[in-house]
PDB file of all heavy atoms in Angstrom:
ATOM      1  N   GLY A 277     -19.822   6.652   7.919  1.00 52.00           N
ATOM      2  CA  GLY A 277     -19.201   7.404   8.994  1.00 52.00           C
ATOM      3  C   GLY A 277     -18.031   8.181   8.432  1.00 52.00           C
ATOM      4  O   GLY A 277     -17.859   8.310   7.227  1.00 52.00           O
ATOM      5  N   ASP A 278     -17.217   8.718   9.321  1.00 44.00           N
ATOM      6  CA  ASP A 278     -16.044   9.439   8.863  1.00 44.00           C
ATOM      7  C   ASP A 278     -15.144   8.517   8.066  1.00 44.00           C
ATOM      8  O   ASP A 278     -15.135   7.308   8.265  1.00 44.00           O
ATOM      9  CB  ASP A 278     -15.265   9.976  10.064  1.00 44.00           C
ATOM     10  CG  ASP A 278     -16.084  11.014  10.823  1.00 44.00           C
ATOM     11  OD1 ASP A 278     -16.940  11.637  10.183  1.00 44.00           O
ATOM     12  OD2 ASP A 278     -15.853  11.171  12.026  1.00 44.00           O
ATOM     13  N   LEU A 279     -14.372   9.108   7.158  1.00 41.00           N
ATOM     14  CA  LEU A 279     -13.398   8.311   6.431  1.00 41.00           C
ATOM     15  C   LEU A 279     -12.373   7.767   7.403  1.00 41.00           C
ATOM     16  O   LEU A 279     -12.340   8.116   8.576  1.00 41.00           O
ATOM     17  CB  LEU A 279     -12.729   9.162   5.353  1.00 41.00           C
ATOM     18  CG  LEU A 279     -13.540   9.319   4.067  1.00 41.00           C
ATOM     19  CD1 LEU A 279     -12.771  10.214   3.109  1.00 41.00           C
ATOM     20  CD2 LEU A 279     -13.824   7.989   3.414  1.00 41.00           C
ATOM     21  N   ALA A 280     -11.512   6.932   6.885  1.00 39.00           N
ATOM     22  CA  ALA A 280     -10.614   6.156   7.723  1.00 39.00           C
ATOM     23  C   ALA A 280      -9.827   7.014   8.699  1.00 39.00           C
ATOM     24  O   ALA A 280      -9.585   8.185   8.489  1.00 39.00           O
ATOM     25  CB  ALA A 280      -9.642   5.393   6.835  1.00 39.00           C
ATOM     26  N   SER A 281      -9.416   6.366   9.787  1.00 36.00           N
ATOM     27  CA  SER A 281      -8.542   7.007  10.746  1.00 36.00           C
ATOM     28  C   SER A 281      -7.184   7.201  10.101  1.00 36.00           C
ATOM     29  O   SER A 281      -6.914   6.722   9.010  1.00 36.00           O
ATOM     30  CB  SER A 281      -8.416   6.126  11.983  1.00 36.00           C
ATOM     31  OG  SER A 281      -7.890   4.873  11.632  1.00 36.00           O
ATOM     32  N   ALA A 282      -6.275   7.865  10.785  1.00 32.00           N
ATOM     33  CA  ALA A 282      -4.978   8.209  10.193  1.00 32.00           C
ATOM     34  C   ALA A 282      -4.232   7.028   9.608  1.00 32.00           C
ATOM     35  O   ALA A 282      -3.757   7.087   8.484  1.00 32.00           O
ATOM     36  CB  ALA A 282      -4.123   8.929  11.232  1.00 32.00           C
ATOM     37  N   PRO A 283      -4.116   5.860  10.322  1.00 37.00           N
ATOM     38  CA  PRO A 283      -3.399   4.735   9.720  1.00 37.00           C
ATOM     39  C   PRO A 283      -4.041   4.263   8.433  1.00 37.00           C
ATOM     40  O   PRO A 283      -3.370   3.890   7.482  1.00 37.00           O
ATOM     41  CB  PRO A 283      -3.468   3.668  10.813  1.00 37.00           C
ATOM     42  CG  PRO A 283      -3.663   4.424  12.087  1.00 37.00           C
ATOM     43  CD  PRO A 283      -4.510   5.595  11.702  1.00 37.00           C
ATOM     44  N   ASP A 284      -5.398   4.287   8.384  1.00 40.00           N
ATOM     45  CA  ASP A 284      -6.091   3.847   7.178  1.00 40.00           C
ATOM     46  C   ASP A 284      -5.835   4.808   6.030  1.00 40.00           C
ATOM     47  O   ASP A 284      -5.705   4.402   4.889  1.00 40.00           O
ATOM     48  CB  ASP A 284      -7.600   3.748   7.437  1.00 40.00           C
ATOM     49  CG  ASP A 284      -7.936   2.564   8.319  1.00 40.00           C
ATOM     50  OD1 ASP A 284      -7.171   1.600   8.293  1.00 40.00           O
ATOM     51  OD2 ASP A 284      -8.946   2.629   9.034  1.00 40.00           O
ATOM     52  N   LYS A 285      -5.754   6.105   6.311  1.00 36.00           N
ATOM     53  CA  LYS A 285      -5.515   7.073   5.249  1.00 36.00           C
ATOM     54  C   LYS A 285      -4.151   6.838   4.608  1.00 36.00           C
ATOM     55  O   LYS A 285      -3.971   7.027   3.411  1.00 36.00           O
ATOM     56  CB  LYS A 285      -5.604   8.489   5.824  1.00 36.00           C
ATOM     57  CG  LYS A 285      -7.040   8.938   6.124  1.00 36.00           C
ATOM     58  CD  LYS A 285      -7.064  10.368   6.621  1.00 36.00           C
ATOM     59  CE  LYS A 285      -8.498  10.812   6.876  1.00 36.00           C
ATOM     60  NZ  LYS A 285      -8.553  12.187   7.386  1.00 36.00           N
ATOM     61  N   GLU A 286      -3.189   6.384   5.419  1.00 37.00           N
ATOM     62  CA  GLU A 286      -1.866   6.140   4.870  1.00 37.00           C
ATOM     63  C   GLU A 286      -1.882   4.987   3.874  1.00 37.00           C
ATOM     64  O   GLU A 286      -1.098   4.936   2.941  1.00 37.00           O
ATOM     65  CB  GLU A 286      -0.897   5.833   6.012  1.00 37.00           C
ATOM     66  CG  GLU A 286      -0.635   7.053   6.906  1.00 37.00           C
ATOM     67  CD  GLU A 286       0.210   6.685   8.114  1.00 37.00           C
ATOM     68  OE1 GLU A 286       0.625   5.505   8.187  1.00 37.00           O
ATOM     69  OE2 GLU A 286       0.448   7.547   8.963  1.00 37.00           O
ATOM     70  N   MET A 287      -2.804   4.030   4.075  1.00 38.00           N
ATOM     71  CA  MET A 287      -2.829   2.866   3.197  1.00 38.00           C
ATOM     72  C   MET A 287      -3.785   3.047   2.027  1.00 38.00           C
ATOM     73  O   MET A 287      -3.856   2.202   1.142  1.00 38.00           O
ATOM     74  CB  MET A 287      -3.249   1.614   3.984  1.00 38.00           C
ATOM     75  CG  MET A 287      -4.647   1.682   4.566  1.00 38.00           C
ATOM     76  SD  MET A 287      -5.143   0.154   5.389  1.00 38.00           S
ATOM     77  CE  MET A 287      -5.793  -0.767   4.014  1.00 38.00           C
ATOM     78  N   THR A 288      -4.534   4.167   1.986  1.00 41.00           N
ATOM     79  CA  THR A 288      -5.533   4.344   0.945  1.00 41.00           C
ATOM     80  C   THR A 288      -4.926   4.253  -0.452  1.00 41.00           C
ATOM     81  O   THR A 288      -5.497   3.659  -1.359  1.00 41.00           O
ATOM     82  CB  THR A 288      -6.252   5.701   1.113  1.00 41.00           C
ATOM     83  OG1 THR A 288      -6.826   5.739   2.413  1.00 41.00           O
ATOM     84  CG2 THR A 288      -7.321   5.872   0.063  1.00 41.00           C
ATOM     85  N   GLY A 289      -3.756   4.816  -0.628  1.00 51.00           N
ATOM     86  CA  GLY A 289      -3.151   4.829  -1.949  1.00 51.00           C
ATOM     87  C   GLY A 289      -2.883   3.451  -2.497  1.00 51.00           C
ATOM     88  O   GLY A 289      -2.942   3.230  -3.704  1.00 51.00           O
ATOM     89  N   GLY A 290      -2.559   2.470  -1.634  1.00 74.00           N
ATOM     90  CA  GLY A 290      -2.240   1.135  -2.102  1.00 74.00           C
ATOM     91  C   GLY A 290      -3.282   0.099  -1.772  1.00 74.00           C
ATOM     92  O   GLY A 290      -3.037  -1.092  -1.912  1.00 74.00           O
ATOM     93  N   VAL A 291      -4.476   0.551  -1.320  1.00 83.00           N
ATOM     94  CA  VAL A 291      -5.475  -0.400  -0.855  1.00 83.00           C
ATOM     95  C   VAL A 291      -6.028  -1.257  -1.996  1.00 83.00           C
ATOM     96  O   VAL A 291      -6.577  -2.325  -1.765  1.00 83.00           O
ATOM     97  CB  VAL A 291      -6.611   0.344  -0.112  1.00 83.00           C
ATOM     98  CG1 VAL A 291      -7.525   1.056  -1.096  1.00 83.00           C
ATOM     99  CG2 VAL A 291      -7.395  -0.604   0.766  1.00 83.00           C
ATOM    100  N   MET A 292      -5.879  -0.799  -3.255  1.00 88.00           N
ATOM    101  CA  MET A 292      -6.359  -1.570  -4.401  1.00 88.00           C
ATOM    102  C   MET A 292      -5.198  -2.238  -5.150  1.00 88.00           C
ATOM    103  O   MET A 292      -5.399  -2.774  -6.233  1.00 88.00           O
ATOM    104  CB  MET A 292      -7.126  -0.651  -5.355  1.00 88.00           C
ATOM    105  CG  MET A 292      -8.337   0.020  -4.738  1.00 88.00           C
ATOM    106  SD  MET A 292      -9.699  -1.108  -4.422  1.00 88.00           S
ATOM    107  CE  MET A 292     -10.387  -1.236  -6.064  1.00 88.00           C
ATOM    108  N   ASP A 293      -3.999  -2.200  -4.564  1.00 91.00           N
ATOM    109  CA  ASP A 293      -2.844  -2.793  -5.250  1.00 91.00           C
ATOM    110  C   ASP A 293      -2.723  -4.293  -5.027  1.00 91.00           C
ATOM    111  O   ASP A 293      -2.050  -4.988  -5.783  1.00 91.00           O
ATOM    112  CB  ASP A 293      -1.549  -2.110  -4.781  1.00 91.00           C
ATOM    113  CG  ASP A 293      -1.463  -0.666  -5.259  1.00 91.00           C
ATOM    114  OD1 ASP A 293      -2.217  -0.323  -6.193  1.00 91.00           O
ATOM    115  OD2 ASP A 293      -0.660   0.098  -4.697  1.00 91.00           O
ATOM    116  N   ASN A 294      -3.349  -4.797  -3.962  1.00 95.00           N
ATOM    117  CA  ASN A 294      -3.269  -6.216  -3.624  1.00 95.00           C
ATOM    118  C   ASN A 294      -4.661  -6.686  -3.245  1.00 95.00           C
ATOM    119  O   ASN A 294      -5.117  -6.486  -2.119  1.00 95.00           O
ATOM    120  CB  ASN A 294      -2.280  -6.422  -2.468  1.00 95.00           C
ATOM    121  CG  ASN A 294      -2.083  -7.895  -2.141  1.00 95.00           C
ATOM    122  OD1 ASN A 294      -2.575  -8.776  -2.845  1.00 95.00           O
ATOM    123  ND2 ASN A 294      -1.364  -8.158  -1.060  1.00 95.00           N
ATOM    124  N   VAL A 295      -5.348  -7.302  -4.198  1.00 96.00           N
ATOM    125  CA  VAL A 295      -6.765  -7.629  -4.035  1.00 96.00           C
ATOM    126  C   VAL A 295      -6.971  -9.141  -4.071  1.00 96.00           C
ATOM    127  O   VAL A 295      -6.508  -9.818  -4.990  1.00 96.00           O
ATOM    128  CB  VAL A 295      -7.617  -6.968  -5.143  1.00 96.00           C
ATOM    129  CG1 VAL A 295      -9.087  -7.352  -4.993  1.00 96.00           C
ATOM    130  CG2 VAL A 295      -7.448  -5.459  -5.110  1.00 96.00           C
ATOM    131  N   ALA A 296      -7.656  -9.653  -3.052  1.00 97.00           N
ATOM    132  CA  ALA A 296      -8.115 -11.047  -3.065  1.00 97.00           C
ATOM    133  C   ALA A 296      -9.596 -11.040  -3.419  1.00 97.00           C
ATOM    134  O   ALA A 296     -10.368 -10.259  -2.849  1.00 97.00           O
ATOM    135  CB  ALA A 296      -7.890 -11.700  -1.702  1.00 97.00           C
ATOM    136  N   ALA A 297     -10.003 -11.877  -4.361  1.00 96.00           N
ATOM    137  CA  ALA A 297     -11.387 -11.869  -4.829  1.00 96.00           C
ATOM    138  C   ALA A 297     -12.019 -13.249  -4.658  1.00 96.00           C
ATOM    139  O   ALA A 297     -11.391 -14.265  -4.929  1.00 96.00           O
ATOM    140  CB  ALA A 297     -11.448 -11.460  -6.299  1.00 96.00           C
ATOM    141  N   VAL A 298     -13.262 -13.252  -4.190  1.00 96.00           N
ATOM    142  CA  VAL A 298     -14.032 -14.489  -4.035  1.00 96.00           C
ATOM    143  C   VAL A 298     -15.280 -14.383  -4.897  1.00 96.00           C
ATOM    144  O   VAL A 298     -16.026 -13.401  -4.804  1.00 96.00           O
ATOM    145  CB  VAL A 298     -14.425 -14.721  -2.568  1.00 96.00           C
ATOM    146  CG1 VAL A 298     -15.345 -15.939  -2.445  1.00 96.00           C
ATOM    147  CG2 VAL A 298     -13.187 -14.912  -1.698  1.00 96.00           C
ATOM    148  N   ILE A 299     -15.491 -15.387  -5.739  1.00 94.00           N
ATOM    149  CA  ILE A 299     -16.667 -15.423  -6.609  1.00 94.00           C
ATOM    150  C   ILE A 299     -17.532 -16.608  -6.204  1.00 94.00           C
ATOM    151  O   ILE A 299     -17.106 -17.766  -6.266  1.00 94.00           O
ATOM    152  CB  ILE A 299     -16.267 -15.565  -8.088  1.00 94.00           C
ATOM    153  CG1 ILE A 299     -15.399 -14.382  -8.519  1.00 94.00           C
ATOM    154  CG2 ILE A 299     -17.507 -15.663  -8.970  1.00 94.00           C
ATOM    155  CD1 ILE A 299     -14.856 -14.513  -9.930  1.00 94.00           C
ATOM    156  N   ASN A 300     -18.741 -16.327  -5.759  1.00 92.00           N
ATOM    157  CA  ASN A 300     -19.694 -17.379  -5.401  1.00 92.00           C
ATOM    158  C   ASN A 300     -20.350 -17.892  -6.680  1.00 92.00           C
ATOM    159  O   ASN A 300     -21.149 -17.194  -7.306  1.00 92.00           O
ATOM    160  CB  ASN A 300     -20.746 -16.826  -4.442  1.00 92.00           C
ATOM    161  CG  ASN A 300     -21.718 -17.896  -3.961  1.00 92.00           C
ATOM    162  OD1 ASN A 300     -21.722 -19.015  -4.471  1.00 92.00           O
ATOM    163  ND2 ASN A 300     -22.534 -17.554  -2.986  1.00 92.00           N
ATOM    164  N   LEU A 301     -20.001 -19.119  -7.074  1.00 89.00           N
ATOM    165  CA  LEU A 301     -20.491 -19.671  -8.339  1.00 89.00           C
ATOM    166  C   LEU A 301     -21.978 -20.027  -8.296  1.00 89.00           C
ATOM    167  O   LEU A 301     -22.562 -20.341  -9.333  1.00 89.00           O
ATOM    168  CB  LEU A 301     -19.675 -20.915  -8.703  1.00 89.00           C
ATOM    169  CG  LEU A 301     -18.188 -20.655  -8.967  1.00 89.00           C
ATOM    170  CD1 LEU A 301     -17.457 -21.973  -9.221  1.00 89.00           C
ATOM    171  CD2 LEU A 301     -18.013 -19.709 -10.146  1.00 89.00           C
ATOM    172  N   ALA A 302     -22.576 -19.965  -7.101  1.00 84.00           N
ATOM    173  CA  ALA A 302     -24.008 -20.257  -6.983  1.00 84.00           C
ATOM    174  C   ALA A 302     -24.813 -19.001  -6.682  1.00 84.00           C
ATOM    175  O   ALA A 302     -25.957 -19.088  -6.245  1.00 84.00           O
ATOM    176  CB  ALA A 302     -24.242 -21.291  -5.875  1.00 84.00           C
ATOM    177  N   ALA A 303     -24.208 -17.824  -6.918  1.00 79.00           N
ATOM    178  CA  ALA A 303     -24.909 -16.565  -6.646  1.00 79.00           C
ATOM    179  C   ALA A 303     -26.131 -16.431  -7.542  1.00 79.00           C
ATOM    180  O   ALA A 303     -26.226 -17.064  -8.597  1.00 79.00           O
ATOM    181  CB  ALA A 303     -23.965 -15.392  -6.856  1.00 79.00           C
ATOM    182  N   GLY A 304     -27.059 -15.572  -7.099  1.00 65.00           N
ATOM    183  CA  GLY A 304     -28.336 -15.438  -7.797  1.00 65.00           C
ATOM    184  C   GLY A 304     -28.222 -15.076  -9.258  1.00 65.00           C
ATOM    185  O   GLY A 304     -29.044 -15.495 -10.075  1.00 65.00           O
TER     186      GLY A 304
END
Side-chain angles (χ1 to χ4, degrees):
D278 295 334
L279 279 179
S281 60
D284 288 333
K285 286 183 178 179
E286 292 174 3
M287 63 176 274
T288 303
V291 75
M292 300 289 281
D293 291 343
N294 184 7
V295 178
V298 174
I299 300 175
N300 184 350
L301 296 176

